[in-house]
Amino acid sequence: MILVALATILVLNAQKYEGLADTPPMGWNSWNTFHCDVNEKLIRDVADVFERDGYIDAGYEYIIIDDCWALRERDENGNLVPDTVKFPSGIKALADYVHSKGLKFGIYSDAGTKTCAGYPGSKGFEIQDAKLFASWGVDYLKYDWCNTEGQKPQEAYKTISDALFATGRPIILGICEWGTAAPWLWGKNFGQLWRISGDIATCFDCIVDHGSYKDLGVMKIVYMREGIRKYAGPNSWNDFDMMEVGNGMTAAEDRAHFSLWCMLASPLIMGNDIRNANQESIEIQTNEYAIAINQDPLGIQAFKYINIDSTEVWVKPLENDEWAICFLNRKNEPVNLEFDWNMHKINDPDFNYSVNFGVEKFKLFDVWDKRKVGNTKKPFKKRIGAHDICVLWLNK
Ligand code: GLA
């Protein structure tokens, strides 16, 4: 009995490159919008738009092709082969193009026999696949968990982590195990980020039931896991999934979604068709203040402080004794917020940060209105629209 109990909490270890994700990775991934409809023109165009629409300046770095880039079968030597119709110039040329913009290139594989869309998985080919990815100039591998019957997550992620390390090329490993085996307890030994949920759905608070699995709206993912923020930090991020900004929610919901991902120190991986994005979604995903909150060097994930009626107050300690505090209106109608700072002494439940607003005074900066809005001496008042959010940056 005791042996069995010990075995279940045994955490494996591996060598990995340090410092690849001191702050949450930022980039774009093909899956949420394009699913299997990926090709080299799309990826090149996305790289061009990174430059054109200010995403590079905002800090976005990784362009990641998700599932369906390979042929259905390996070649006679067991190598993965890029689909020659979708990627006639090959993956190396594409990675070179992405690199020529100063960006980094990511690709996708799966720990099991097949990917989620039925393409060859890396099980049994980890060393060979890692070498191939490194030879193409891959900088980021998203490694999925479909078709893994009988496999143990820690062992599988250790195997690919070791294989990546052995190539001599620093490659971020994005663990995509959906949180079933508590990757926040062991993921940092093998990779830099781990999904905490199944796939995101393009809605604020819905569940899309597919029978054998469910896609989850923004708020469902936010509330999916209790007590995991203490495991997040530099080079070890809870991944709340690729974003759905620009994919059909209201502008307020997009703003709330993006703000929460920033507050939660989630990787910021865009999932919309940025080639045709409207101005609103460009402005949301390039908001320099929201991004700076996400990229704060302390790397502390926000915690839910209180509810005021149906308004949620989330708090994120920042470096230099600064704070980000946001007010999220869960209602389907506007609310008039009034927040008297003097009444609030806030203690971070997991990290050693606290602030007593009755004693310490701060200046307030509204991240979405992009302007100073007074200080904490007076109660803060704001009308917040349905499903909208107000994010304040506090400094002395
Ligand atoms: C899983 C992952 C998604 C995506 C698809 C690809 O569902 O969670 O993010 O990678 O597989 O098939």
Side-chain angles (χ1 to χ4, degrees), residues 31 66-67 108 116-117 142 144 176 178 195 199 242:
W31 184 256
D66 207 280
D67 207 348
Y108 164 101
C116 297
K142 171 176 171 180
D144 216 339
C176 184
W178 316 308
R195 284 272 298 277
D199 291 357
M242 289 103 56

Side-chain angles (χ1 to χ4, degrees), residues 235-281:
N235 298 295
S236 45
W237 307 106
N238 289 319
D239 177 359
F240 287 72
D241 204 357
M242 289 103 56
M243 296 185 288
E244 293 283 9
V245 174
N247 285 343
M249 290 187 283
T250 67
E253 290 169 340
D254 275 354
R255 198 158 35 240
H257 169 28
F258 188 74
S259 302
L260 287 166
W261 264 229
C262 289
M263 292 290 289
L264 293 167
S266 176
L268 295 180
I269 309 294
M270 298 181 285
N272 59 324
D273 183 357
I274 59 169
R275 300 170 310 173
N276 304 304
N278 62 25
Q279 196 53 34
E280 210 150 39
S281 70

Side-chain angles (χ1 to χ4, degrees), residues 174-223:
I175 295 171
C176 184
E177 183 274 346
W178 316 308
T180 318
W184 40 89
L185 297 179
W186 46 264
K188 65 169 174 290
N189 295 329
F190 312 126
Q192 287 74 16
L193 62 156
W194 45 83
R195 284 272 298 277
I196 63 156
S197 70
D199 291 357
I200 193 168
T202 318
C203 58
F204 192 61
D205 201 14
C206 73
I207 293 180
V208 181
D209 196 342
H210 297 278
S212 58
Y213 66 95
K214 295 180 173 76
D215 292 344
L216 305 166
V218 166
M219 294 313 298
K220 294 284 183 279
I221 298 183
V222 167
Y223 277 105

